[in-house]
Amino acid sequence: MNFETKCVHAQKDISAACDKTGAISFPIYQSSTFAHPGPGQSTGYDYTRMQNPTREQLENVVAGLENGDECIAFSSGMAAISAVMELFKPGDHVIIDEDLYGGTIRLFQHVNEKNGITFTRVNFSEEDIRPHIGENTRAVFFETPTNPMMNVADIEKISAIAHEHGLLCIVDNTFLSPYLQNPLALGADLVIHSETKYLGGHNDTIAGFVVTKTPDLTEKLRFLIKTTGAALAPFDSWLILRGIKTLAIRIDRMQENTAKIVDWLTKQKAVTRVYYPGLSDHPGHEIMKKQSRGFGSMVTFEVESKEKAIQILNDVDLILYAESLAGTETLITYPLTQTHADVPPEFLEKNGITDRVLRLSVGIEAAEDLIAELDRVINSN
Ligand SMILES: *Cc1c(COP(=O)(O)O)cnc(C)c1O
């Protein structure tokens, strides 16, 4: 079955087992606990922190989209990453990409380091990770493309190196979704999604996934979600299930809009740089053509001055000045003070996250309206 069809119909196949009414939309099982038929017996559901039918349905659909062993649904992307980090113990070392979502950097620096895990930051798109692998190294962790600088790493190459050294390869696939990239098929062991983004897709729900490659990893993460408790609620699970039905058409439209906007941005005098891996001169362009089915709808650009950047944020109207990404509405973000506010200045500088950098998440509106708005705010004075 093709991906687009799976997004709509995988949901039906699984619901048949649970629901005899013929309902096309999977029910929301808003129950915290489940009655047992008798001592030592279970319907398969005991308590919603462990599992709930609506969450299970969502997990099955997403595991199918990423072709993983299982998917585990958390109450946010950060809860998913926090649970993954519980796989490590004091003394363990993890190699991470230099450019990551700001919240992930904050978690590593302020929570995991305190608990004795050490990190080495490497630019996965440019440097060899091998010299940084030591006795106590356990994993590599990266995004591709990265948030917000759109650096591209070669998943196949990095996972091969990781496996040669017995390391786990963990990829945050939020920026492309399973529609455009499947890291497990390229060798990764764990895939993370902030499903707040493309999978939910409507800027209305916070949620996160881990998709596992092997039953061994599934078992460890099932234990962790049961024990630490950040499981996704039934209603939120249902919202993501609904979002997934339109995943493919939303992304198709967003990418069409993005291509037009990128083309327009590259021609503006006030725009000094455009970071988009769909551009043929982007250093990651060829790798993305090999490992992804599209370039996504995130574009980062630099304007001529800080004043210009601030003026754009003040003047936008149709485009909303807000954090988050990959929803139906086009959003503009100022990484320096929003998503990456807690990142140390030396990291920001090295990654090129300056006071002139803006990040655009292109939505499903008409491209003409978005370009008219950008023209107004960028070229107004
Ligand atoms: C948003 C985001 C996260 C965090 O997810 P939340 O759902 O906001 O907790 C992690 N990684 C990336 C790449 C993100 O964009």
Side-chain angles (χ1 to χ4, degrees):
M1 204 190 280
N2 286 301
F3 189 94
E4 292 84 341
T5 314
K6 264 197 203 174
C7 284
V8 181
H9 286 281
Q11 309 202 1
K12 182 184 69 188
D13 293 346
I14 304 160
S15 63
C18 235
D19 179 68
K20 309 286 182 237
T21 66
I24 283 168
S25 168
F26 194 85
I28 304 168
Y29 284 83
Q30 192 66 41
S31 187
S32 59
T33 190
F34 300 87
H36 305 300
Q41 295 173 10
S42 166
T43 60
Y45 304 97
D46 302 311
Y47 188 60
T48 281
R49 171 154 42 76
M50 263 95 98
Q51 194 50 294
N52 171 284
T54 314
R55 191 172 99 227
E56 184 176 50
Q57 167 84 352
L58 171 65
E59 290 177 343
N60 287 336
V61 168
V62 175
L65 298 183
E66 280 287 17
N67 284 315
D69 179 51
E70 284 191 27
C71 164
I72 296 128
F74 293 85
S75 56
S76 71
M78 289 320 301
I81 299 174
S82 301
V84 165
M85 295 313 290
E86 292 298 328
L87 295 172
F88 308 112
K89 58 181 192 313
D92 285 352
H93 171 245
V94 181
I95 301 173
I96 58 171
D97 195 4
E98 246 171 23
D99 193 36
L100 291 170
Y101 171 65
T104 307
I105 297 174
R106 183 172 55 222
L107 173 76
F108 292 166
Q109 268 209 318
H110 295 285
V111 179
N112 300 135
E113 274 188 10
K114 164 177 72 68
N115 295 339
I117 298 165
T118 57
F119 297 90
T120 301
R121 300 166 57 90
V122 178
N123 184 330
F124 280 53
S125 63
E126 288 173 2
E127 291 170 58
D128 187 357
I129 61 166
R130 274 171 288 211
H132 305 282
I133 300 173
E135 274 287 290
N136 57 343
T137 308
R138 297 286 172 260
V140 297
F141 184 110
F142 61 105
E143 301 167 4
T144 180
T146 61
N147 182 358
M149 297 314 288
M150 310 302 295
N151 297 330
V152 173
D154 188 327
I155 301 173
E156 205 166 7
K157 200 168 102 192
I158 292 165
S159 59
I161 295 170
H163 293 153
E164 256 170 54
H165 294 84
L167 317 181
L168 275 182
C169 179
I170 308 167
V171 180
D172 182 336
N173 201 26
T174 299
F175 257 41
L176 288 182
S177 92
Y179 180 47
L180 298 180
Q181 181 168 276
N182 301 111
L184 295 179
L186 297 162
D189 301 292
L190 291 172
V191 172
I192 292 166
H193 286 282
S194 167
E195 58 196 271
T196 310
K197 316 293 169 55
Y198 281 111
L199 290 148
H202 291 73
N203 289 322
D204 57 14
T205 317
I206 301 278
F209 288 129
V210 181
V211 189
T212 55
K213 184 159 192 159
T214 61
D216 170 51
L217 287 166
T218 304
E219 195 185 320
K220 288 179 180 155
L221 280 149
R222 287 268 171 231
F223 174 81
L224 284 167
I225 195 169
K226 171 171 96 175
T227 307
T228 59
L232 190 63
F235 181 59
D236 289 359
S237 299
W238 182 83
L239 282 168
I240 307 290
L241 273 171
R242 187 166 72 155
I244 288 172
K245 291 188 186 185
T246 56
L247 177 67
I249 59 166
R250 278 188 284 110
I251 294 185
D252 286 347
R253 171 57 166 267
M254 287 163 153
Q255 290 197 121
E256 259 172 52
N257 284 353
T258 307
K260 289 180 192 164
I261 288 171
V262 165
D263 182 54
W264 183 87
L265 282 172
T266 55
K267 294 176 181 140
Q268 306 311 307
K269 228 177 83 222
V271 176
T272 45
R273 232 179 129 169
V274 179
Y275 300 88
Y276 184 64
L279 288 166
S280 58
D281 61 354
H282 186 285
H285 184 70
E286 291 305 319
I287 296 171
M288 277 206 60
K289 276 186 15 197
K290 188 181 68 161
Q291 72 185 11
S292 317
R293 289 178 292 277
F295 302 103
S297 60
M298 296 302 299
V299 46
T300 297
F301 63 99
E302 186 189 71
V303 291
E304 59 195 5
S305 64
K306 177 186 178 183
E307 291 66 36
K308 187 84 204 169
I310 302 290
Q311 173 245 308
I312 290 170
L313 296 171
N314 270 317
D315 289 355
V316 283
D317 175 25
L318 179 71
I319 296 173
L320 301 160
Y321 169 35
E323 309 203 19
S324 203
L325 60 107
T328 40
E329 294 85 0
T330 297
L331 306 181
I332 194 161
T333 307
Y334 198 38
L336 190 68
T337 62
Q338 292 183 291
T339 51
H340 290 67
D342 290 336
V343 175
E346 64 275 19
F347 297 173
L348 291 172
E349 199 183 299
K350 182 143 194 288
N351 292 342
I353 305 175
T354 68
D355 56 12
R356 295 183 291 137
V357 165
L358 295 165
R359 192 192 74 183
L360 195 65
S361 166
V362 179
I364 64 166
E365 303 93 333
E368 291 64 31
D369 292 334
L370 296 171
I371 291 173
E373 166 102 338
L374 287 168
D375 186 33
R376 182 178 64 77
V377 300
I378 292 175
N379 297 323
S380 60
N381 42 36

